[in-house]
């Protein structure tokens, strides 16, 4: 079997052309999105592990917490890098500051991707986050407020990530492949959390917390170069895609080129129409609920494992990753069976999405409540959390896919609005944790406070699952196809 190779194609990108002989271009796109989100979460969560050893404890007693008696009087000062004299309140601001920027730029990020393309918006924003990560060890000893500003800037740049990806998925992925595609590509962030936590736990004792930021920044730059080399925004514009694959994509996607250019669409009018749409509001509530639970786990989870269950820094990194491992596996299982059931028309896409939303919320809710009463058995706690959050992997075939269903053309703005609303949770979780958990003097009191901390997202999960079942839609919404009067500026 011979392969016809036109000079203009082969000479333009011979490596990409030969790669196309082995795998379809949309699979390459999916793999690079997956890897990009690994680096995205590396740069987001590295500080949640590093902060445990970055900050000088207020008292060098023989106890790691009121629940854990260890002989660590001087242990923490001899490894893990330079110690920073930050207060508990300052640590909370360092952790939440990322989400201030992250929440603020979600919607503009989605619109920018719809106008200028995912390749540029996602690629260059991630490169910027990597540069800022490399500056963290340099600026941290100077002032905690410099780090707070830096984290806000990182949040602004990372805010475009998921909103920017939706437009590319709408253009590249046939409708029936979306549950499986999204469940793999978007779970890269989960996989990033899986590998970042234990890697940080290994790096810090030997190289210091500073190395965590340099290494994660370097990995991101390598990904950025591959992204710029291999990815194109539209299958129609890809120089190396086969005619068969291009035809298959174009005939089986719901994305259409509207008569109106996206840069002519007034953002405020579009947002107003979205906020009047009940299915859109249901998606926003789903993202808020999901974000609250994940931020409790990713931002405050390491502290829970450290001060309640008594794990050392390496084990904190390892056990913090296990719920994400369960989530990664769960996402692949849910993506596969969702795709199969809808392809064979056993279940309607909306019905499948509602089942997945109930799965992604109700099982983790039960798990978080249960584990808070099992703190006497650390291994059992980790097992409960890991298994229950495996069901949270249904998110990608659940409400994430529903966002692509109701707005294939303006899915970036949909993701920006929903993810932006969800990101507000990241601002409040560290403050709520500081207020509820604080610094109790008795172990029983500390455990009781953590039970409240886990009960809050569990309650939110249950309420929002019901709202989605009632208000979700499987139809393309009016705002996705609406033609607007030409705008005067970006906003109106």
């Amino acid at each position: 079997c011979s392969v016809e190779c036109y000079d203009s194609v082969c000479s333009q990108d011979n490596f990409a052309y030969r790669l196309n002989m082995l795998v379809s271009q949309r699979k390459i796109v999916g793999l690079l999105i997956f890897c990009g989100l690994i680096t995205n979460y590396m740069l987001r969560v590295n500080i949640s592990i590093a902060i445990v050893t970055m900050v000088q404890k207020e008292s060098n007693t023989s106890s790691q917490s009121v629940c854990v008696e260890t002989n660590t009087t001087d242990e923490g000062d001899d490894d893990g890098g330079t110690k920073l004299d930050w207060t508990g309140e300052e640590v909370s601001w360092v952790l939440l500051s990322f989400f201030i920027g992250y929440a603020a730029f979600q919607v503009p990020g989605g619109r920018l991707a719809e106008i200028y393309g995912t390749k540029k918006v996602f690629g260059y924003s991630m490169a910027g986050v990597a540069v800022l990560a490399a500056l963290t060890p340099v600026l941290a000893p100077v002032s905690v407020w410099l780090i707070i500003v830096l984290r806000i800037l990182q949040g602004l740049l990372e805010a475009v990530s998921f909103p920017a990806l939706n437009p590319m998925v709408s253009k590249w992925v046939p409708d029936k492949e979306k549950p499986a595609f999204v469940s793999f590509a978007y779970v890269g962030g989960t996989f990033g959390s899986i590998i970042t936590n234990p890697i940080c736990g290994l790096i810090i004792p030997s190289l210091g917390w500073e190395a965590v930021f340099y290494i994660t920044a370097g990995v991101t730059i390598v990904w950025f170069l591959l992204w710029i080399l291999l990815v194109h925004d539209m299958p129609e514009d890809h120089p190396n895609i086969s005619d068969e694959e291009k035809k298959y994509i174009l005939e089986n996607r719901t994305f259409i080129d509207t008569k109106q250019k996206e840069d002519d669409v007034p953002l405020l009018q579009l947002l107003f129409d979205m906020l009047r749409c009940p299915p859109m509001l249901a998606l926003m509530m789903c993202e808020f609920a999901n974000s609250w639970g994940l931020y409790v786990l990713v931002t405050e989870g390491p502290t829970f494992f450290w001060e309640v269950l008594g794990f050392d820094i390496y084990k904190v990194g390892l056990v913090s990753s296990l719920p994400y491992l369960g989530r990664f596996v769960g996402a692949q299982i849910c993506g596969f069976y969702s795709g199969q059931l809808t392809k064979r028309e056993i279940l309607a896409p909306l019905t499948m999405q509602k089942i997945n939303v109930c799965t992604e919320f109700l099982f983790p809710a039960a798990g978080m409540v249960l584990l808070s009463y099992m703190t006497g058995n650390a291994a059992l706690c980790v097992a409960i959390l890991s298994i229950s959050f495996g069901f949270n992997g249904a998110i990608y075939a659940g409400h994430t896919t529903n966002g692509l269903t109701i707005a294939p053309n303006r899915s970036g703005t949909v993701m920006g609005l929903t993810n932006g609303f969800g990101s507000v949770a990241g601002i409040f979780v560290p403050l709520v944790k500081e207020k509820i958990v604080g610094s109790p003097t008795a172990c029983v009191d500390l455990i009781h406070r953590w039970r409240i901390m886990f009960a809050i997202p569990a309650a939110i999960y249950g309420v929002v699952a019901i709202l989605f079942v009632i208000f979700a839609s499987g139809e393309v919404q009016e705002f996705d196809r609406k033609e607007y009067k030409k705008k005067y500026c970006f906003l109106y």
Side-chain angles (χ1 to χ4, degrees):
C1 178
S2 62
V3 177
E4 188 173 5
C5 174
Y6 296 99
D7 292 340
S8 60
V9 173
C10 293
S11 60
Q12 186 172 9
D13 196 341
N14 193 43
F15 172 72
Y17 180 83
R18 286 184 278 110
L19 191 61
N20 185 46
M21 298 301 99
L22 300 175
V23 64
S24 68
Q25 289 299 326
R26 65 186 184 278
K27 290 181 180 178
I28 295 174
V29 169
L31 180 60
L32 285 171
I33 289 175
F34 176 83
C35 294
L37 291 177
I38 289 177
T39 65
N40 179 287
Y41 268 70
M42 277 185 171
L43 298 176
R44 184 186 307 191
V45 307
N46 53 14
I47 200 167
S48 297
I49 295 294
I51 201 89
V52 176
T53 55
M54 286 171 68
V55 179
Q56 178 68 53
K57 302 300 179 184
E58 292 182 1
S59 61
N60 284 331
T61 66
S62 62
S63 180
Q64 144 176 350
S65 82
V66 294
C67 288
V68 184
E69 290 294 332
T70 53
N71 207 7
T72 58
T73 305
D74 297 312
E75 228 170 85
D77 296 332
D78 296 331
D79 53 29
T82 304
K83 297 295 179 182
L84 306 172
D85 188 20
W86 295 349
T87 66
E89 185 178 356
E90 287 171 337
V91 168
S92 294
W93 276 102
V94 168
L95 293 176
L96 72 85
S97 57
F98 174 92
F99 299 102
I100 295 174
Y102 193 72
F105 209 63
Q106 289 280 331
V107 173
R111 288 300 294 149
L112 288 171
E114 289 166 351
I115 296 169
Y116 299 108
T118 300
K119 178 177 181 176
K120 291 180 181 178
V121 174
F122 185 45
Y124 288 114
S125 65
M126 287 304 302
V129 178
V131 171
L132 291 172
L135 291 174
T136 301
V138 178
L139 298 179
V142 179
S143 171
V144 64
W145 294 106
L146 286 176
I147 297 302
I148 290 172
V149 172
L150 182 147
R151 291 287 290 172
I152 291 173
L153 292 175
Q154 284 187 311
L156 284 169
L157 289 171
E158 282 212 11
V160 308
S161 300
F162 282 100
L165 294 176
N166 266 17
M168 181 170 279
V169 173
S170 290
K171 296 167 185 174
W172 271 92
V173 184
D175 282 358
K176 291 183 179 180
E177 292 184 8
K178 281 178 181 175
F181 184 95
V182 171
S183 294
F184 171 73
Y186 282 29
V187 85
T190 298
F191 194 76
S193 298
I194 293 171
I195 63 175
T196 301
N197 290 337
I199 287 174
C200 288
L202 285 171
I203 291 172
I204 291 171
S206 55
L207 300 177
W209 61 262
E210 296 91 342
V212 165
F213 297 95
Y214 295 133
I215 291 172
T216 53
V219 171
T220 303
I221 294 301
V222 172
W223 167 84
F224 167 72
L225 296 175
L226 291 173
W227 175 263
I228 294 299
L229 175 65
L230 297 175
V231 168
H232 292 263
D233 284 301
M234 301 277 285
E236 299 95 311
D237 300 330
H238 202 296
N240 303 306
I241 190 171
S242 67
D243 291 338
E244 291 79 8
E245 183 181 7
K246 184 191 299 184
K247 181 180 178 183
Y248 176 70
I249 292 172
L250 298 182
E251 290 178 350
N252 291 278
R253 69 184 187 185
T254 50
F255 173 83
I256 59 172
D257 286 323
T258 58
K259 296 177 181 178
Q260 183 174 31
K261 292 183 178 179
E262 282 301 315
D263 57 357
D264 287 339
V265 176
L267 180 58
L268 290 181
Q269 291 182 41
L270 176 58
L271 292 179
F272 181 70
D273 287 340
M274 287 182 170
L275 291 172
R276 292 189 301 167
C277 175
M280 185 69 197
L281 296 176
L283 281 178
M284 291 172 65
M285 293 306 299
C286 281
E287 201 58 48
F288 180 85
N290 184 66
S291 297
W292 190 288
L294 287 182
Y295 292 148
V296 167
L297 184 60
V298 75
T299 307
E300 306 301 340
T303 302
F304 172 77
F305 292 129
W306 170 265
E307 69 181 16
V308 176
L309 302 185
F311 292 117
D312 60 31
I313 186 59
Y314 170 68
K315 289 182 179 178
V316 165
L318 182 62
V319 300
S320 296
S321 71
L322 293 179
Y324 290 96
L325 179 59
R327 193 171 187 250
F328 175 80
V329 174
Q332 305 317 302
I333 295 172
C334 291
F336 175 77
Y337 77 67
S338 297
Q340 292 299 311
L341 291 176
T342 53
K343 275 183 181 179
R344 298 178 184 182
E345 299 182 352
I346 297 173
L347 289 175
L350 179 60
T351 303
M352 193 72 255
Q353 290 162 12
K354 288 182 177 181
I355 291 172
N356 281 322
V357 166
C358 291
T359 301
E360 73 183 73
F361 286 143
L362 299 183
F363 286 97
M368 282 191 285
V369 172
L370 184 60
L371 82 89
S372 66
Y373 286 89
M374 300 291 176
T375 53
N377 188 327
L380 182 60
C381 275
V382 174
I384 291 171
L385 197 59
S386 302
I387 294 170
S388 63
F389 264 86
F391 291 98
N392 186 251
I395 174 180
Y396 301 104
H399 75 264
T400 300
T401 299
N402 184 254
L404 292 163
T405 300
I406 68 171
N409 276 38
R410 289 168 180 155
S411 57
T413 307
V414 168
M415 178 62 88
L417 186 56
T418 58
N419 212 30
F421 185 70
S423 301
V424 174
I427 299 173
F428 289 104
V429 165
L431 296 177
V432 170
K433 182 263 178 181
E434 185 67 21
K435 185 71 176 177
I436 291 177
V437 177
S439 302
T441 56
C443 181
V444 173
D445 191 20
L446 178 64
I447 293 173
H448 175 71
R449 295 184 184 199
W450 273 105
R451 284 175 182 164
I452 297 173
M453 194 68 194
F454 283 118
I456 293 172
I460 295 172
Y461 277 3
V463 172
V464 170
I466 295 171
L467 291 175
F468 185 85
V469 170
I470 295 172
F471 294 107
S473 173
E475 302 296 326
V476 175
Q477 299 299 296
E478 182 182 353
F479 66 79
D480 187 64
R481 298 286 194 257
K482 184 175 179 179
E483 293 189 16
Y484 294 86
K485 291 181 180 180
K486 189 171 182 180
K487 67 180 182 181
Y488 294 97
C489 70
F490 183 76
L491 292 177
Y492 60 89

